[in-house]
Amino acid sequence: MFAVHLMAFYFSKLKEDQIKKVDRFLYHMRLSDDTLLDIMRRFRAEMEKGLAKDTNPTAAVKMLPTFVRAIPDGSENGEFLSLDLGGSKFRVLKVQVAEEGKRHVQMESQFYPTPNEIIRGNGTELFEYVADCLADFMKTKDLKHKKLPLGLTFSFPCRQTKLEEGVLLSWTKKFKARGVQDTDVVSRLTKAMRRHKDMDVDILAVVNDTVGTMMTCAYDDPYCEVGVIIGTGTNACYMEDMSNIDLVEGDEGRMCINTEWGAFGDDEALEDIRTEFDRELDLGSLNPGKQMFEKMISGLYLGELVRLILLKMAKAGLLFGGEKSSALHTKGKIETRHVAAMEKYKEGLANTREILVDLGLEPSEADCIAVQHVCTIVSFRSANLCAAALAAILTRLRENKKVERLRTTVGVDGTLYKIHPQYPKRLHKVVRKLVPSCDVRFLLSESGSTKGAAMVTAVASRVQAQRKQIDKVLALFRLTREQLVDVQAKMRAELEYGLKKKSHGLATVRMLPTYVCGLPDGTEKGKFLALDLGGTNFRVLLVKIRSGRRSVRMYNKIFAIPLEIMQGTGEELFDHIVQCIADFLDYMGLKGASLPLGFTFSFPCRQMSIDKGTLIGWTKGFKATDCEGEDVVDMLREAIKRRNEFDLDIVAVVNDTVGTMMTCGYEDPNCEIGLIAGTGSNMCYMEDMRNIEMVEGDEGKMCINTEWGGFGDNGCIDDIRTRYDMEVDEGSLNPGKQRYEKMTSGMYLGEIVRQILIDLTKQGLLFRGQISERLRTRGIFETKFLSQIESFSRILQETLKELAPRCDVTFMLSEDGSGKGAALITAVAKRLQQARKEN
Ligand code: BG6
Ligand code: GLC
Ligand code: GLC
């Protein structure tokens, strides 16, 4: 009994001594909580550096966008091929995702060796070898006749600009094939596959193993938004807010970032914690100076670190009685699996002895205890460092989400994590200590990263198929040069038809004479009122024109015209207009003033003189009763009379195109075309009088309001109208009318987009097939959304140049709207009126 106690005492004393000895020797490898918190802070700063555009080029931690935007939602399905290259094992797989609507994944796989002469040889040969393995796999699985999409798990740092591209930044771990760095591995592999004529494989996605792992785990646990690998190498990815990713356009949603945390410290940020062993290991590695953090953590290096320490201790006489074996001198003789075996709970010491004996050493009991403790310190440091960086990621996630507590899942994989008996629980414990505000679940990826890679590929292949269908719909809107030339010729014919006396009455492009015969000459002066009705806003303006200096001062007020007035009775509409004028005069302190007025009325009017205009028909959003066929100047006069508060001298009624041409013509006398691309679409231009058969006289020019919005009302452009245009037309206030306007102007573009969205949704190509109530609402998709998306004016100018190469056209934006032009026309008319009176 006593002997047993004595033995136990002896043993625990021995153990204590050995542990103390090793602790003293490896003092520098033991990291305090404060140090870990400090490393966590440093890593947070590194992440920010990598994410920001300015600092990314010099950042050690590259924070690579992966173009994976969502975790799986269960709707993924199909049959895929998958390659998994870069971990400890190279695998080729066939993955069947979700059969018969069930969340279920079936995999068949085959491992292939990766001999050093292949992974450190010539790059082209490496890809040819990979393609050969794939071909072999397809042959054995009888898949050669099938066209299958492929997802490539490629576990090295790659710069991506899309899912199906990955430019290798540098090899890490055991790989070092020549001529691959800075090339796209997808193209390289695609090229290598072409040698197999009987293989038809399309690489749709390349993902890092961290991403594959995260996606694999997320398929089972939707909380999973982080992927960590602690294997041959180490790395992590997580879902970052798009608004924080400077390197990718767009602010909506999230994207997975491959941190490449293995490179943390490559800019010497970790020098204070690196030891002489880390430095020695680095010097003997394939990539000296690189992957500093990885070299303190991952499976490829832990065994080697232990070996270097044991050698030094032996040399110092602290182990094996100072004896060293040649195996102990040999690089790579201690591997991570040995470290794991030595740390096994019960058999650990026995394993240690066996391993040391295999290394040609003769260990004492004390040596075994000491060596086991060396392993513990090295692997504990690894888990601690991993925990610190992971804690930084979790804190970032929590702050991005602006929550007090974060509930999240981390998907983990890698041999070190899987085979080391203590590693997972040490890691979990330290993470929880470092980030007490996070409830973290660690989920081991049982099936590697390929299931996740297949998920990404499934989404990519669905997106590819959808893209094709969407392209088919959108192709209807892409007009070829031939089509445009045809439209041009037809428009030209219609313009001429509208000018001729015998066809004018029937013309759909009405070519209305405006009785505006010249541009302002700079002698105009005076104070004028102007109205601007028919665009998005109704405005009343006071325009002061000073002669000689071509300078104009304007004051204006915008008024809303409620829908019930736009579509009520004519009397109500004009009463409302007069009410607005009264408000404006009041506001300007001009109550009771009698001023000459120019009326911009942006609808088709038949004019017999400049101050008379009979409304032919409402367009756009107006439909007030009892106006069509009436002179709008008379209607305005009567409304002013009804109010009986002020008197106005209505001198001119002008279309907005004409007002615009005049506004610009005041500054640039070469201006002879006015174009409106607004709520409606229309154009006016200066035509030779002799071509205008409806108006007497052959001298000089007159402005013609083309009313080209009605182009196509006779069916002449039906070949380019789509079913969406028809739909928009049918739902409009004036079905069958203004067909060209409905394909071109602001009031309708948003509606066309809405019709397309509805149709694509019905086809299951958008919004998971769910048409929302809002999407069903007419007018919900305003044209201003479109102008944020597309730059219209550039396209307009470029196409014009192409179709009318002999015209040198300058586009001038009418900053002041057409009110100024209307006032100028009024000024000219007033001057002529005066002259006539005096005569
Ligand atoms: C595997 C994954 O399970 O783990 C690989 O399928 C990954 O994609 C590997 O690279 C990482 O661990 P190790 O230890 O093999 O490098
Ligand atoms: C290395 C690679 C990285 C990979 C990791 C784990 O760090 O650079 O891309 O994720 O190993 O395999
Ligand atoms: C409509 C009108 C037209 C106007 C154009 C732009 O097409 O009919 O007169 O010029 O819209 O506002």
Side-chain angles (χ1 to χ4, degrees):
M1 203 52 207
F2 177 72
V4 175
H5 277 296
L6 195 65
M7 275 294 286
F9 172 77
Y10 167 76
F11 185 76
S12 65
K13 178 78 177 68
L14 181 72
K15 198 169 167 183
E16 206 184 301
D17 290 347
Q18 293 307 314
I19 286 177
K20 273 197 189 138
K21 176 175 81 185
V22 172
D23 278 351
R24 238 179 286 125
F25 190 74
L26 294 180
Y27 170 78
H28 206 55
M29 277 204 163
R30 299 175 60 217
L31 305 172
S32 68
D33 286 0
D34 282 346
T35 308
L36 291 181
L37 285 169
D38 186 41
I39 292 169
M40 177 178 158
R41 266 191 298 275
R42 287 188 222 174
F43 189 67
R44 286 210 62 191
E46 289 293 328
M47 285 200 280
E48 270 159 36
K49 200 169 162 193
L51 284 173
K53 211 183 203 124
D54 312 344
T55 42
N56 174 277
T58 56
V61 178
K62 283 297 177 201
M63 304 295 281
L64 301 165
T66 63
F67 291 80
V68 169
R69 290 168 195 268
I71 60 168
D73 65 5
S75 67
E76 298 75 14
N77 63 65
E79 201 178 9
F80 307 94
L81 286 171
S82 198
L83 292 176
D84 188 353
L85 181 69
S88 53
K89 294 202 169 99
F90 168 42
R91 272 210 287 184
V92 183
L93 304 95
K94 189 193 95 169
V95 187
Q96 171 78 47
V97 183
E99 235 171 343
E100 294 145 22
K102 275 180 263 152
R103 245 186 198 243
H104 175 68
V105 176
Q106 242 180 354
M107 305 203 289
E108 287 174 52
S109 75
Q110 168 90 51
F111 289 103
Y112 289 90
T114 45
N116 281 344
E117 56 276 20
I118 291 286
I119 64 175
R120 295 182 205 154
N122 170 296
T124 304
E125 279 164 25
L126 167 65
F127 287 106
E128 285 175 359
Y129 172 76
V130 172
D132 291 348
C133 295
L134 178 64
D136 174 74
F137 179 80
M138 290 177 80
K139 191 166 154 223
T140 31
K141 300 285 169 192
D142 196 18
L143 293 170
K144 281 222 165 159
H145 56 286
K146 285 195 179 174
K147 179 173 170 68
L148 291 175
L150 182 141
L152 169 62
T153 303
F154 186 71
S155 311
F156 301 96
C158 288
R159 172 92 58 209
Q160 298 189 266
T161 59
K162 51 185 183 219
L163 201 51
E164 67 276 22
E165 178 204 74
V167 174
L168 178 68
L169 293 180
S170 58
W171 287 117
T172 54
K173 301 177 284 190
K174 294 183 200 168
F175 281 61
K176 211 179 169 117
R178 291 184 300 278
V180 185
Q181 195 175 317
D182 297 327
T183 67
D184 170 25
V185 296
V186 175
S187 329
R188 297 293 295 267
L189 183 55
T190 305
K191 192 160 166 221
M193 288 188 313
R194 272 192 219 123
R195 287 163 51 254
H196 299 267
K197 299 274 175 289
D198 51 349
M199 223 164 79
D200 190 4
V201 173
D202 199 2
I203 308 176
L204 292 189
V206 52
V207 296
N208 189 263
D209 51 356
T210 54
V211 182
T213 299
M214 179 187 79
M215 295 294 269
T216 299
C217 294
Y219 192 62
D220 298 324
D221 177 349
Y223 279 99
C224 183
E225 48 190 350
V226 181
V228 174
I229 297 281
I230 308 167
T232 313
T234 183
N235 189 14
C237 72
Y238 72 102
M239 297 302 292
E240 176 61 87
D241 292 358
M242 276 292 284
S243 56
N244 296 330
I245 308 175
D246 276 5
L247 298 173
V248 183
E249 297 250 331
D251 275 350
E252 291 301 307
R254 301 203 292 173
M255 183 182 278
C256 178
I257 290 287
N258 167 17
T259 64
E260 285 294 330
W261 77 17
F264 181 26
D266 287 8
D267 56 359
E268 311 202 334
L270 295 174
E271 285 315 292
D272 56 333
I273 59 161
R274 288 179 71 227
T275 64
E276 58 181 298
F277 309 109
D278 297 304
R279 289 181 228 283
E280 196 175 341
L281 175 133
D282 178 47
L283 286 178
S285 70
L286 278 182
N287 50 352
K290 298 276 167 58
Q291 301 293 97
M292 293 309 175
F293 195 56
E294 179 159 272
K295 286 172 184 163
M296 291 193 266
I297 294 174
S298 76
L300 184 59
Y301 308 103
L302 281 199
E304 184 63 4
L305 276 177
V306 168
R307 185 186 70 86
L308 291 173
I309 294 167
L310 299 190
L311 189 60
K312 176 98 192 274
M313 287 182 79
K315 280 182 184 164
L318 293 169
L319 282 178
F320 319 126
E323 293 294 322
K324 297 141 289 190
S325 65
S326 77
L328 192 60
H329 270 112
T330 312
K331 193 171 134 196
K333 275 289 172 192
I334 300 182
E335 296 175 25
T336 294
R337 62 189 169 94
H338 300 129
V339 178
M342 292 192 269
E343 285 192 72
K344 267 245 166 98
Y345 181 55
K346 275 188 183 134
E347 312 94 280
L349 269 184
N351 288 345
T352 306
R353 171 175 304 280
E354 212 174 291
I355 289 164
L356 293 174
V357 169
D358 279 352
L359 285 173
L361 297 160
E362 287 166 25
S364 66
E365 186 72 22
D367 288 337
C368 291
I369 294 171
V371 169
Q372 189 181 44
H373 194 56
V374 168
C375 292
T376 302
I377 289 184
V378 171
S379 61
F380 221 125
R381 183 183 71 152
S382 162
N384 275 336
L385 289 173
C386 243
L390 181 55
I393 290 180
L394 294 172
T395 309
R396 190 170 170 93
L397 271 177
R398 188 178 63 76
E399 289 180 4
N400 280 350
K401 293 190 182 181
K402 302 188 176 62
V403 291
E404 284 288 314
R405 287 200 76 75
L406 175 75
R407 169 180 171 190
T408 196
T409 298
V410 176
V412 200
D413 200 353
T415 33
L416 178 55
Y417 184 86
K418 285 198 289 202
I419 66 165
H420 191 289
Q422 329 275 357
Y423 203 97
K425 68 171 183 281
R426 288 180 191 160
L427 176 77
H428 304 171
K429 200 170 155 191
V430 183
V431 168
R432 292 189 176 116
K433 190 163 70 184
L434 291 176
V435 279
S437 53
C438 295
D439 300 314
V440 196
R441 174 175 183 228
F442 289 87
L443 188 58
L444 178 68
S445 165
E446 301 283 355
S447 47
S449 48
T450 34
K451 190 162 119 184
M455 275 335 135
V456 176
T457 313
V459 173
S461 93
R462 191 178 61 205
V463 168
Q464 195 190 49
Q466 287 176 345
R467 174 70 34 83
K468 280 198 189 128
Q469 265 176 285
I470 292 174
D471 279 349
K472 214 166 114 197
V473 166
L474 297 185
L476 302 172
F477 291 86
R478 281 197 198 103
L479 300 175
T480 61
R481 198 192 140 84
E482 288 67 45
Q483 284 174 310
L484 288 173
V485 168
D486 183 50
V487 170
Q488 183 181 16
K490 283 176 180 159
M491 177 68 95
R492 180 88 204 252
E494 291 293 314
L495 297 179
E496 270 157 30
Y497 199 66
L499 284 175
K500 299 265 181 310
K501 203 168 213 157
K502 61 177 196 306
S503 43
H504 177 76
L506 293 169
T508 50
V509 178
R510 292 177 191 274
M511 305 300 281
L512 301 167
T514 64
Y515 294 84
V516 169
C517 295
L519 292 171
D521 63 7
T523 63
E524 300 73 14
K525 61 172 193 232
K527 247 195 228 175
F528 304 88
L529 267 187
L531 303 181
D532 189 351
L533 178 77
T536 313
N537 300 309
F538 170 50
R539 290 205 226 199
V540 186
L541 307 92
L542 177 70
V543 185
K544 290 187 190 167
I545 308 174
R546 281 186 275 176
S547 74
R549 281 193 275 151
R550 286 197 180 251
S551 87
V552 164
R553 257 213 196 148
M554 304 206 292
Y555 308 88
N556 76 79
K557 213 170 157 153
I558 294 178
F559 296 91
I561 303 214
L563 196 69
E564 59 276 19
I565 291 197
M566 294 206 288
Q567 298 175 13
T569 69
E571 251 188 44
E572 282 164 344
L573 173 62
F574 281 90
D575 283 347
H576 180 77
I577 292 173
V578 173
Q579 169 71 52
C580 297
I581 300 176
D583 285 356
F584 180 73
L585 290 175
D586 211 16
Y587 166 77
M588 293 299 300
L590 287 170
K591 222 174 171 180
S594 168
L595 293 171
L597 176 122
F599 184 12
T600 303
F601 183 72
S602 310
F603 300 95
C605 288
R606 196 169 300 291
Q607 294 191 258
M608 299 303 282
S609 63
I610 190 130
D611 60 350
K612 281 190 173 33
T614 305
L615 175 62
I616 298 175
W618 286 117
T619 55
K620 300 178 283 193
F622 280 71
K623 214 174 171 60
T625 56
D626 313 317
C627 297
E628 295 180 349
E630 302 294 326
D631 179 0
V632 294
V633 177
D634 280 347
M635 295 193 74
L636 181 59
R637 263 195 208 113
E638 273 158 33
I640 293 174
K641 235 184 256 162
R642 273 199 296 279
R643 190 170 177 103
N644 197 17
E645 229 181 74
F646 48 81
D647 197 20
L648 295 172
D649 175 14
I650 309 171
V651 180
V653 56
V654 298
N655 190 264
D656 52 354
T657 54
V658 184
T660 299
M661 183 182 78
M662 282 295 166
T663 302
C664 294
Y666 193 56
E667 265 143 60
D668 175 357
N670 286 324
C671 180
E672 48 185 359
I673 296 178
L675 175 74
I676 296 283
T679 311
S681 164
N682 193 14
M683 184 273 280
C684 75
Y685 71 103
M686 296 304 293
E687 176 62 274
D688 292 355
M689 276 295 281
R690 63 189 145 80
N691 294 332
I692 311 174
E693 294 187 0
M694 299 81 65
V695 183
E696 295 279 312
D698 274 353
E699 286 304 302
K701 295 188 176 204
M702 183 184 277
C703 176
I704 293 288
N705 166 17
T706 63
E707 286 293 329
W708 75 12
F711 177 46
D713 288 6
N714 57 5
C716 73
I717 50 170
D718 278 0
D719 56 326
I720 58 164
R721 287 175 79 219
T722 67
R723 54 180 185 278
Y724 310 101
D725 296 304
M726 319 264 179
E727 202 80 47
V728 168
D729 180 40
E730 274 158 33
S732 71
L733 283 178
N734 49 353
K737 302 264 172 65
Q738 301 291 98
R739 296 190 192 176
Y740 183 66
E741 176 161 85
K742 286 172 187 164
M743 296 166 82
T744 50
S745 82
M747 180 154 168
Y748 307 98
L749 291 192
E751 245 333 75
I752 297 175
V753 170
R754 191 178 69 90
Q755 293 298 342
I756 299 172
L757 296 187
I758 290 180
D759 187 41
L760 293 179
T761 312
K762 275 188 193 153
Q763 293 186 44
L765 297 172
L766 286 180
F767 314 132
R768 293 219 223 151
Q770 299 297 314
I771 304 181
S772 69
E773 267 320 300
R774 281 171 71 74
L775 189 57
R776 276 183 220 283
T777 316
R778 191 173 299 151
I780 198 74
F781 205 97
E782 288 179 44
T783 299
K784 64 177 179 206
F785 298 151
L786 286 181
S787 42
Q788 284 161 7
I789 298 167
E790 264 286 359
S791 145
F792 286 114
S793 62
R794 187 180 48 78
I795 296 171
L796 175 70
Q797 297 183 23
E798 283 169 6
T799 311
L800 182 72
K801 198 167 230 147
E802 208 180 309
L803 295 181
R806 282 185 295 167
C807 302
D808 190 2
V809 186
T810 309
F811 283 79
M812 177 169 177
L813 183 65
S814 163
E815 305 273 2
D816 298 329
S818 48
K820 176 165 146 188
L824 288 165
I825 293 169
T826 309
V828 176
K830 197 72 198 161
R831 198 180 64 213
L832 297 176
Q833 218 179 49
Q834 215 73 38
R836 245 174 303 169
K837 260 192 215 156
E838 281 160 20
N839 276 339

